[in-house]
Amino acid sequence: AAHRAAEAGNVSALRLLFNLGADFSLLDKRNKTPRELVKADDKATLQFFQMLDDAKAALAARKRFFPVTVLEIYDDAAAYK
């Protein structure tokens, strides 16, 4: 579904699939990811995938600087009670 939506430039469908947890790294039978099927002049769909890349980079940076979340610390503390 993500491949078809990307190829068609259907950003609404891509957002829905993202919210449902779709994996945008999966390959189709042509060995292409959804991003690779976006037409070069489709700015809205390219922006969607750029937003995904930016979010992924932000999460990676957060994990580098804060490898443990507050909830994980709380859960560890609760386990020792």
Side-chain angles (χ1 to χ4, degrees):
H3 291 84
R4 285 188 178 180
E7 198 165 19
N10 189 337
V11 177
S12 295
L14 289 168
R15 283 187 181 133
L16 174 65
L17 291 166
F18 174 78
N19 288 330
L20 293 173
D23 184 351
F24 290 97
S25 67
L26 294 177
L27 302 175
D28 66 2
K29 61 186 172 189
R30 298 171 283 186
N31 259 1
K32 303 280 186 185
T33 64
R35 184 186 192 130
E36 294 172 315
L37 299 175
V38 177
K39 294 173 181 65
D41 63 345
D42 186 350
K43 291 182 182 180
T45 307
L46 290 170
Q47 283 179 330
F48 171 81
F49 282 102
Q50 184 61 52
M51 181 235 13
L52 288 183
D53 290 345
D54 293 347
K56 188 176 180 180
L59 284 174
R62 185 199 61 80
K63 286 182 181 178
R64 243 188 342 267
F65 292 106
F66 305 103
V68 179
T69 67
V70 173
L71 292 176
E72 291 170 326
I73 294 169
Y74 178 78
D75 286 344
D76 286 346
Y80 289 107
K81 287 186 179 183

